[in-house]
Structures are given as structure tokens and as C-alpha cells.
Amino acid sequence: MVGESSNDRNDRAIRVAARWYQSHLGESVKVLLITNDRDNKRKAIEEGLNAETVESYVRSLAQPGLLDLVVVPTSGDVSMEDVDDHRPSKKKVIYNEHKPMSEITSGLRCGIYHQGKLRVNRYNPFEAYVGSESIGDEIVIRGRSNMNRAFDGDIVAVELLPQDQWHESKSFIADDDEEEEEDVHLVPNSADDAPRNTNSTQSTVGSSAPSISSRPVGRVMGIIKRNWNSYCGSLQPMPMPAGSGGVAHALFVSKDRRVPKIRIQTRQLENLVNKRIVVAVDSWDVLSRYPSGHYVRTIGDIGDKETETEVVLIENDINTRPFSTQVLACLPPLPWTLSPEDLANPNRQDLRQVRVFSVDPPGCRDIDDALHCTLLPNGNFEVGVHIADVTNFVHPGTPLDEEAAQRGTSVYLVGQRIDMLPKPLTEDVCSLRADVERLAFSVIWEMTPDADVISTRYTKSVIKSCAAMSYVEAQARMDDSRLVDPLTVDLRNLNSLAKIMRQRRCERGALTLASAEVKFEIDSETHDPLDIGIYQIREANQMIEEFMLAANVSVAEKILKHFPLCSLLRRHPSPTKEMLEPLLRTASSIGLNLDVSSSKALAESLDNAKSNDPYFNKLIRILATRCMTQAVYFCSGDLTFSEYYHYGLAASLYTHFTSPIRRYADVVVHRLLAAALNIAKLPPIFQDGPQLTGIADNLNYRHRNAQMASRASVELHTHIYFKTRPTDTEARIVKIKANGFIVFVPKFGIEGPIYLTPKGDKGGDWVVDEVHQRVTKPGTNISYAILQTVRIHMEVVEPQPHRPKLQLTLI
């Protein structure tokens, strides 16, 4: 109609449909139009239709529990009373209105605003970062008011503040007005996991003059795309209201510190206290300090291990649904055996007579890879890496393939694995177990005894592994000089080649970084941790790693040569100067000079970082690890060749080929390699650039979430372990703050805060020397310096009922 908006036209169409159904079905059936749009409801009633809001309809069902599930209406719909505290600011405008999309679009076009994804600091929820392509830098957003109701992951429009407002903030251990503190957590494995550092290297925290940051600082002016999700957490402890059955207003606190508190209203408060619940966000008004949301469901009791594990999975968007019947229908008939057709296939080489074996973590059932090493008559070695031929069973476009693509990766928790593919494939049909015939995709080199590659060939194959060893078993064989059987000799030959290959890789500039990977001994009945320690890396681990890296590089070269625009590769961006700054500042404070001009220069600097302290070098490498970005998948057509570089491996090309049972990226790469060898046609999806980019983006998202879930599971089990085992141990200071310092506990691979001042005291008597990374109490000889060893006490305490936390204190 003239002057009618498309939204009003759609509303009218719904009313027409409702009227048609009412006349068509007659008086025996009541047709009800449900709308939260005031105008639409009014017109419907005027036209003789039955119309209600969602809330009024749910209320009419006389099931009060259902009302908790109703989305809180926004101000444009039905109003809801403001339920905040009674401070003077209660009815004041707390936030600026978001700019309308038309204004944002023109502002982006003329460079007033900058678009990017907002990422909230995992360790300080009052600081966020927006990566902006338009200015080629990361914009820092400080404080909730400048974040202006944006959530982590929102696409936002940012305006830069005047340069004289780009002040650095003092560095405190988080202890803010929302009573959040820095928690004990696993040691970060990359810059993405680590607390961000925006302090000036020159200023002293004790000095009064604020310094100007070189990094731009801004504020959010509008939201381009929301990233609201459902969040896991619990209700903030509060007194129970008198009476029962009424509506209670409560504040929900997410387990994820990056998420602000969310107000909900509930009619079942007594059932939700001390429970882990899921809450969804509905709106965030400019008058409200917190967003409004609604209760979705209860997970279980706070502190219960199954409940907390489910929280980990939900928080990281891990798909735990059972595989559907459509997916399972794609599996081959079981039990699976090698067919005559497989052996007759001219594209598949029969390698069953070759002495193939696997080396994996203990108890591994999903064996992706196996190797062989045969001494040739000319004195060279034939070395083969054999990878499970998953794509023989997972065909493009099938429900099985689509499910694997969506899941992206298997997820490893403590004592639990969530598979990307159904178990009949992962543990049986595809797993390269000992003494069974299996299909493989092989990369085979001829190598000299000096590990020079003479030739490389790729083939589908049939293998029969003669042994499935653990790393410990393989290492024991190599170390036992009495053993000279063929398998042990093969292992030693492979190890000799691997050592040469590793040395060359390091000479090219590959980094040898360190992480504190924790392992648990788990009680077989209760599944609780019995013991905790750092995972030991042996030569056998490094040997297998070296040949997997070599196979991945060889395959990357092959697929890119044939498919320069649609290969799935993996890159590791070089760390920025800002990311390396905490490492450089620490090194400088102890008189250590690190050259970070290239990965080779950094690798050599790390090798030369020596001290009388036997743990010193590993500690520096752990600090270097946390400065690195995450490696990411990408489509070769999306970037220039120079951007393909893998910084950590010092490799110009890299991909993932060696783990198709547990990573979908490797499934994609297997298809590319098969097409490059003319064994199979390239699926049509490889002609669709945007879709390939979408696959890479999903793989990065899933890979990152799997890592975060794995870390959270380790943190949960660490917490459970110390619940009944208060412990005194040694720790190293890794970061100096104005009110304390952060320590790393080598024995358990965790780090956390030590407070030197009472909670709420922002520094008080202590003075920080940023240059020498030392905190001192004036007038005394008490001081603490970076990397210093301190004795600490670790214990799980309950500062609030049902809110246990692991606390570290100085002894």
C-alpha cells in the first residue's frame, strides 16, 4: 500500500492469513495471532482477530515455570520495569545511543568510523580490542562505557578518541567493582590465550605522569552485527525474597569473564540458586547497567564434575549430539574387511609386506599414522608415512561428510574424547591398528643417510602394521642396546634421520617453543584425578613429529602446484612487535638480549639464553610461546604467496594431511591430493571460492574452540585435584603488577595471582619498577623480581558459598 513499510506489509499479510484460517476452519477452532508488536496487535483486534503477546499467551497456560523462558521485550515492544540496584545513576542514561546503520555506513565510507570484530580481554573484561583493516592496527577500547554494550565477537563501528586521550592504564591484578578477580588458569599456549599487555615499557607504575600509548584508543559507536549467544553460569548470591511464587529479579554471572552480568526475572529462584544455568541475552537498554535476558535451562549443581564438564562443552560450542541415523547409514557394513576390488585398484599399491608400525600416546585407539623405514641396496633409506585413508569412506556431500565438516575436529578432554567421525570409523575401519589390513594414503621418500630427499612419491596403499607402540615403548626399544631386531633397527634409523631433519629445520629458523602440557592419572571408577604432572616429551615424540611435519610440507607443495587457487593450507602469522613486547621487557629486565627481527634470529637468541638456573631456558621459551599468534587455515586463492609463511616452522608452505580421523582439514587435503594424482575428481565445492573460505573459517573456529575446551577441562580437573590436596610448592614470578604479581607453577602447568595488598587496595605501599620488573616495599628490603622463585601455598577456598576457587598465597 502507499506509504506502507515492508515490515508493515508483512504484518498485514500475517493478519490476512490468520483471518483466512479463521473463516476456513470455522468456529470450532480458535486461531490466535501472537505478536509483541503493539501496532500489529492493535490492528488485529480491530479487524476482529484474536491477538495476544507472547507473554500474555504463555501466562494464560497457567504454567508459571514457562514464563521464565519468555524473551524480555525490548523497549520498542512491551515495556518491562528496570530491575537494577538503587544507586543514584539508576535512571540516568549510562550509555550512548548506538548510531543508526545509515550513519554508520556513511561514517565508515568517509573514514570517521572503523569496522572490526570486538574481542574482550579474557583476563580483564573492561578492556577490548578491535582489529581494524582501515587503519591497519588494533584499536584498544577501555571501560564498559567505551565498549558501549558491545559483546565479545560483535562486529562494531569504532570512533578513535583524540590522541591526547590514548593514555596507558596502570597494571593491576583485576579486582574491580564487580568483584571479579584474576583466576588461577593454565599457562597460555599463545597470545590468543594470554592476558593482554597495554602498559608502557618506559613509565613506572608508581609515577604520576600518564604516558601516551602508540596504540590507538577508541569507543564503540554502533553495532553492525550482534554475536549474542546463550551463556553458562550461575545467579549472583542474594537473599531469598519473602514469600514464594512471585517474580524475583536476579543477576546472572557467566562463567566466561568476558560476558557482563545479565539480569533475569524468575519465578523459580529457589530452584536456580547454586545451580549452573543457561541464560540468553534479549536486549541492553541505554538506561541499564547490565543487559537483560531470560532463563533457558538448568544444567546441574555448581561444582559437580559432570555439570562443569557440560558447561565447558556448551561454552565452547562443542557438538556432543549423537550421530544421526542418516550419518550412520553412510558407514560401510561391519565388520569391514579388505575387498578384492581394493587390491585390484591400479591406483592403490600393495604394501602389506613392508614392515610398517605406529607410535602414539598410550591407549590410543584412533591411529591416524604409521611409518616404515627400509634400508635400500644403494645404502639409502625408503621412508614412508602412511595415513588412514578416511576419504575412501567419507564421500563428498554425504550426511557423514557434512557432519564432519560442521564438527571440524575431534575434541580431547581429560579422560574423554568427542569424535568428529563415528567410532566404527575412528577406532576400527580407519584406525591403523596392528596386525590388520588397512587402507592408507602414503607419502614415500628415498632419503640418503644424511636425510637428503632424492625422490618423493604419493600413492593410495594397503598396509598391515606389525606393531602399534606407545612413545614410551618405542623409546625403551631405541634405548635398549641389547635389542637389534629389525623393528628396533628401523626405529633407530628413523630417529637418526629425524635428528638431522630437526637440526636443519632449526637452522632455517624453526622455533623450539615450550609449553607446560599437563597430564592426569585418572581413577578408573570415579574418573577423578589421582595424580597430576607435566607431560614428558621424549625423542620418540620428536621423531614422529618430524616425519609428520615433512609429510605435511610435501603434500602442501604437491597440492599447491596443481591447485594454486583452491588449496587448503595452514599459515602462522609472524608476531607483531606489540605481541613480543612483554617477552622483550622481561628479557631486558634481567639483562638478556633477544633478537626478534626474524624467527631464525629469535630461535638463536632462545638457544643462547643460558643461566645457572637449570629451568631458566625453558621458562623463557614458555614466555615466548605465549607471544605467538595461533596458526590458521586459509584458502590459497585468498592470499599472496608471501602470506602463506609459517613462522613457527620457518616453512614457506604448510598444510595438515596426517590426521584425517580427527581433523576435517586433513580430509579436504586428502581430496586435493587424490585429484592432483588423478585418482579422483576434485569435488565441485573447490570451484566455489567463498564456500572454501567459509570452510577454512569454520575449521579455525572449531579448532580454537576444541583447544579452549581442552584447556578448560584440564583446569577443571586441576581444581578437583587440589580440592582435597592443599599443597606447598615452588613458583616463578612471570609478571609484576602494582598490587602483586602473577606466578607460574612449573610442576602443575598453571599460573595465577599472588596479592601483596588486601583486596581492593590498588597498590598502596608497593612501588613497581617497570624497567627492572621489580616490585618493592619502600623503607624495607622486601622486593620481588621477574622470574624469581617463590614458595607458595595452593588451596581451594570458598570465598562465597558454593563458589570454590583455587587460591595461591605466599609462604
Side-chain angles (χ1 to χ4, degrees):
M1 291 173 153
V2 177
E4 184 178 44
S5 71
S6 58
N7 185 60
D8 287 345
R9 187 258 172 214
N10 288 341
D11 285 346
R12 182 162 57 88
I14 292 166
R15 294 195 301 275
V16 167
R19 199 162 52 246
W20 183 87
Y21 275 116
Q22 189 63 78
S23 65
H24 181 71
L25 298 169
E27 293 303 313
S28 59
V29 175
K30 179 184 174 185
V31 175
L32 178 65
L33 188 151
I34 297 182
T35 176
N36 274 2
D37 185 306
R38 280 201 192 96
D39 201 39
N40 190 23
K41 183 186 170 194
R42 178 183 57 76
K43 288 177 181 174
I45 291 169
E46 286 171 0
E47 292 168 16
L49 294 167
N50 297 306
E52 290 190 47
T53 63
V54 175
E55 186 177 349
S56 66
Y57 171 66
V58 173
R59 202 178 288 281
S60 73
L61 301 176
Q63 294 183 48
L66 288 178
L67 282 166
D68 282 10
L69 308 178
V70 174
V71 172
V72 177
T74 60
S75 54
D77 296 327
V78 203
S79 63
M80 167 209 168
E81 72 170 295
D82 201 64
V83 299
D84 203 12
D85 43 26
H86 303 288
R87 282 176 257 191
S89 62
K90 182 176 180 230
K91 281 298 175 188
K92 287 181 184 168
V93 173
I94 299 172
Y95 298 103
N96 291 324
E97 291 281 5
H98 290 143
K99 299 293 183 189
M101 235 9 252
S102 55
E103 196 173 320
I104 289 174
T105 305
S106 63
L108 289 170
R109 218 173 12 240
C110 58
I112 299 169
Y113 301 147
H114 307 278
Q115 177 176 329
K117 182 184 283 190
L118 181 118
R119 288 171 300 120
V120 178
N121 187 329
R122 195 174 287 278
Y123 299 92
N124 176 8
F126 300 93
E127 187 164 74
Y129 314 91
V130 176
S132 166
E133 288 185 10
S134 55
I135 60 170
D137 202 351
E138 203 170 52
I139 303 167
V140 183
I141 315 288
R142 293 203 183 98
R144 286 260 195 254
S145 60
N146 284 331
M147 287 161 70
N148 196 6
R149 298 170 288 146
F151 267 60
D152 182 71
D154 283 355
I155 307 295
V156 296
V158 175
E159 177 183 66
L160 294 184
L161 294 176
Q163 200 156 350
D164 62 359
Q165 293 180 33
W166 295 7
H167 297 306
E168 298 288 5
S169 55
K170 274 191 182 184
S171 174
F172 296 105
I173 300 171
D175 173 14
D176 51 66
D177 64 342
E178 294 197 288
E179 299 189 356
E180 297 182 57
E181 295 179 3
E182 183 144 342
D183 291 323
V184 177
H185 50 262
L186 274 190
V187 173
N189 273 334
S190 75
D192 301 327
D193 303 331
R196 300 297 289 265
N197 195 311
T198 54
N199 292 2
S200 163
T201 53
Q202 303 306 317
S203 70
T204 302
V205 169
S207 69
S208 57
S211 62
I212 297 297
S213 164
S214 59
R215 301 177 65 203
V217 176
R219 60 181 177 183
V220 172
M221 302 303 290
I223 311 289
I224 295 166
K225 188 182 179 188
R226 274 291 187 196
N227 187 44
W228 282 345
N229 292 305
S230 294
Y231 301 101
C232 299
S234 53
L235 297 184
Q236 187 166 289
M238 58 182 283
M240 286 297 230
S244 62
V247 178
H249 300 294
L251 275 178
F252 166 85
V253 182
S254 173
K255 275 270 287 179
D256 185 342
R257 298 182 70 208
R258 296 170 298 178
V259 178
K261 293 176 183 177
I262 301 165
R263 316 160 196 239
I264 67 164
Q265 44 183 2
T266 176
R267 292 147 191 85
Q268 48 178 331
L269 185 63
E270 65 282 358
N271 297 331
L272 303 185
V273 173
N274 301 326
K275 299 285 187 186
R276 288 280 180 224
I277 63 173
V278 178
V279 160
V281 181
D282 300 326
S283 62
W284 196 346
D285 194 82
V286 290
L287 297 170
S288 172
R289 188 176 176 206
Y290 303 117
S292 295
H294 66 278
Y295 164 80
V296 176
R297 69 183 179 95
T298 299
I299 302 169
D301 293 333
I302 292 174
D304 174 73
K305 190 173 66 180
E306 282 69 29
T307 296
E308 300 298 354
T309 299
E310 189 176 343
V311 168
V312 166
L313 296 169
I314 295 169
E315 276 190 315
N316 292 288
D317 194 15
I318 306 296
N319 182 353
T320 57
R321 290 189 301 275
F323 289 102
S324 69
T325 50
Q326 292 94 324
V327 167
L328 296 175
C330 299
L331 301 183
L334 298 173
W336 179 86
T337 52
L338 194 67
S339 71
E341 292 76 33
D342 291 323
L343 285 171
N345 185 343
N347 294 315
R348 195 176 291 282
Q349 191 175 349
D350 187 349
L351 300 177
R352 288 176 295 173
Q353 304 312 310
V354 176
R355 193 164 49 248
V356 171
F357 53 87
S358 62
V359 185
D360 289 285
C364 181
R365 298 169 68 89
D366 52 340
I367 303 173
D368 277 297
D369 56 89
L371 298 100
H372 83 264
C373 182
T374 307
L375 181 62
L376 299 172
N378 63 3
N380 289 340
F381 293 100
E382 181 183 85
V383 178
V385 169
H386 310 282
I387 306 301
D389 189 5
V390 171
T391 53
N392 189 76
F393 305 99
V394 180
H395 302 295
T398 59
L400 176 60
D401 182 52
E402 287 169 0
E403 181 73 13
Q406 189 272 331
R407 293 187 182 222
T409 179
S410 293
V411 181
Y412 292 83
L413 307 182
V414 175
Q416 184 183 354
R417 186 184 77 220
I418 294 135
D419 289 309
M420 177 184 84
L421 294 166
K423 270 194 172 43
L425 282 185
T426 61
E427 294 188 358
D428 183 8
V429 177
C430 293
S431 183
L432 305 182
R433 297 178 297 137
D435 302 318
V436 291
E437 296 170 333
R438 288 290 176 261
L439 302 180
F441 210 156
S442 304
V443 179
I444 301 170
W445 304 280
E446 182 179 341
M447 285 185 178
T448 68
D450 292 329
D452 293 318
V453 175
I454 305 297
S455 64
T456 307
R457 64 191 176 91
Y458 312 85
T459 180
K460 294 259 183 158
S461 59
V462 181
I463 64 166
K464 187 176 182 180
S465 171
C466 70
M469 293 170 278
S470 70
Y471 291 121
V472 175
E473 290 165 346
Q475 191 65 51
R477 274 180 174 270
M478 291 191 288
D479 292 345
D480 189 341
S481 56
R482 297 166 300 175
L483 293 179
V484 288
D485 59 280
L487 179 56
T488 305
V489 170
D490 290 351
L491 282 168
R492 289 183 187 133
N493 287 336
L494 272 180
N495 199 30
S496 299
L497 293 168
K499 284 179 178 175
I500 298 167
M501 292 159 70
R502 186 179 181 85
Q503 178 65 30
R504 280 197 196 134
R505 207 161 49 79
C506 291
E507 285 168 3
R508 283 201 310 272
L511 294 174
T512 305
L513 298 173
S515 66
E517 193 175 331
V518 176
K519 67 166 185 176
F520 292 92
E521 184 187 329
I522 299 291
D523 186 302
S524 57
E525 290 183 10
T526 66
H527 303 293
D528 284 346
L530 296 172
D531 198 9
I532 178 175
I534 297 299
Y535 187 77
Q536 189 183 345
I537 300 293
R538 298 171 169 82
E539 269 190 10
N541 299 66
Q542 295 178 330
M543 172 185 79
I544 299 300
E545 178 190 30
E546 212 53 50
F547 285 102
M548 296 306 119
L549 293 175
N552 287 334
V553 169
S554 288
V555 170
E557 290 168 352
K558 180 72 174 173
I559 62 174
L560 188 69
K561 181 179 169 187
H562 288 262
F563 305 111
L565 295 179
C566 63
S567 286
L568 183 70
L569 302 175
R570 190 160 173 82
R571 63 192 279 260
H572 182 212
S574 304
T576 62
K577 198 158 191 293
E578 180 260 324
M579 291 163 70
L580 289 165
E581 193 260 334
L583 174 68
L584 292 173
R585 190 173 59 215
T586 298
S588 160
S589 71
I590 55 171
L592 179 66
N593 183 33
L594 292 181
D595 183 349
V596 295
S597 56
S598 67
S599 63
K600 183 173 171 60
L602 176 56
E604 288 172 357
S605 293
L606 291 172
D607 287 341
N608 294 327
K610 294 188 171 68
S611 155
N612 296 329
D613 176 354
Y615 197 73
F616 175 77
N617 188 268
K618 181 163 188 186
L619 198 52
I620 292 293
R621 289 182 193 275
I622 285 172
L623 294 178
T625 302
R626 64 198 292 163
C627 295
M628 301 296 149
T629 56
Q630 291 266 319
V632 289
Y633 297 109
F634 68 99
C635 174
S636 57
D638 289 347
L639 297 172
T640 60
F641 186 77
S642 63
E643 294 173 295
Y644 294 3
Y645 189 69
H646 196 295
Y647 179 85
L649 297 174
S652 55
L653 275 183
Y654 193 65
T655 194
H656 271 164
F657 165 76
T658 54
S659 293
I661 286 177
R662 58 188 178 89
R663 288 189 308 228
Y664 189 74
D666 305 54
V667 172
V668 173
V669 169
H670 276 229
R671 288 176 183 153
L672 284 160
L673 182 59
L677 299 172
N678 287 320
I679 292 172
K681 280 197 174 126
L682 199 62
I685 193 172
F686 287 93
Q687 310 304 323
D688 186 336
Q691 202 169 346
L692 270 183
T693 302
I695 288 173
D697 289 345
N698 182 59
L699 289 173
N700 290 326
Y701 172 73
R702 295 294 171 192
H703 183 75
R704 175 96 186 105
N705 286 7
Q707 283 184 319
M708 296 306 295
S710 185
R711 288 173 62 82
S713 176
V714 170
E715 286 176 1
L716 169 61
H717 282 77
T718 303
H719 202 285
I720 293 167
Y721 177 79
F722 285 112
K723 210 170 184 177
T724 55
R725 301 173 180 87
T727 303
D728 293 348
T729 189
E730 281 195 348
R732 299 300 192 103
I733 297 174
V734 291
K735 189 172 291 183
I736 297 290
K737 301 278 189 175
N739 56 341
F741 43 80
I742 306 296
V743 294
F744 161 55
V745 187
K747 190 175 178 185
F748 304 117
I750 56 178
E751 66 175 40
I754 297 280
Y755 291 89
L756 293 174
T757 62
K759 191 172 181 319
D761 185 340
K762 297 288 191 183
D765 301 334
W766 295 85
V767 175
V768 173
D769 176 353
E770 282 275 1
V771 176
H772 298 103
Q773 287 288 284
R774 182 179 291 274
V775 60
T776 307
K777 193 164 193 176
T780 73
N781 61 356
I782 304 172
S783 71
Y784 297 97
I786 198 85
L787 303 191
Q788 181 179 328
T789 302
V790 289
R791 291 281 298 172
I792 65 162
H793 177 71
M794 303 172 61
E795 185 174 1
V796 173
V797 296
E798 278 200 17
Q800 294 174 328
H802 303 281
R803 299 294 190 279
K805 60 181 291 182
L806 182 55
Q807 183 173 282
L808 312 183
T809 50
L810 274 177
I811 298 176

